[in-house]
Amino acid sequence: MRGADHRATIPFGIASFRLAGFMLWPFGRTTVVRADAGAPSCVGNVIWLVLAGWWLALGHIVTSIPLFVSIIGIPFGWANLKMVPISLMPLGREVVSTDQGFGSR
């Protein structure tokens, strides 16, 4: 029975690595809701939101404010703001490549 306990945390670990990869290189990529995400993703997102999501999103918002002060930091401020929705509810989302670059929006 001990081995079955870790299986419940695997989706949260995968979501954490997805967040890390998106934060490492957010330019030219965006997140979309997966069509096959169902009720388990919704329940997992509620658990994530309560335990980790709200303070991750708040951290990205607070970090983006000083980045917008300098000209060099503006793209990184936008990248931090792009992280807010996925850090609130990462389950049932995937990171996809966009056809446009950062400046062409």
Side-chain angles (χ1 to χ4, degrees), residues 23 26-27 59-85 102:
M23 189 63 206
F27 306 112
H60 285 296
I61 292 169
V62 168
T63 306
S64 69
I65 293 170
L67 288 171
F68 280 115
V69 172
S70 71
I71 298 293
I72 296 171
I74 291 173
F76 298 106
W78 280 117
N80 262 329
L81 289 181
K82 278 177 55 173
M83 288 296 297
V84 172
F102 177 73

Side-chain angles (χ1 to χ4, degrees), residues 10-91:
I10 290 174
F12 297 108
I14 293 170
S16 298
F17 282 115
R18 189 179 314 121
L19 285 170
F22 188 53
M23 189 63 206
L24 183 65
W25 192 256
F27 306 112
R29 300 189 324 167
T30 188
T31 60
V32 294
V33 177
R34 291 179 49 190
D36 61 347
S41 293
C42 182
V43 171
N45 276 333
V46 170
I47 294 170
W48 180 280
L49 180 67
V50 170
L51 296 178
W54 67 271
W55 62 267
L56 281 172
L58 184 65
H60 285 296
I61 292 169
V62 168
T63 306
S64 69
I65 293 170
L67 288 171
F68 280 115
V69 172
S70 71
I71 298 293
I72 296 171
I74 291 173
F76 298 106
W78 280 117
N80 262 329
L81 289 181
K82 278 177 55 173
M83 288 296 297
V84 172
I86 195 171
S87 64
L88 278 174
M89 296 186 184
L91 299 175

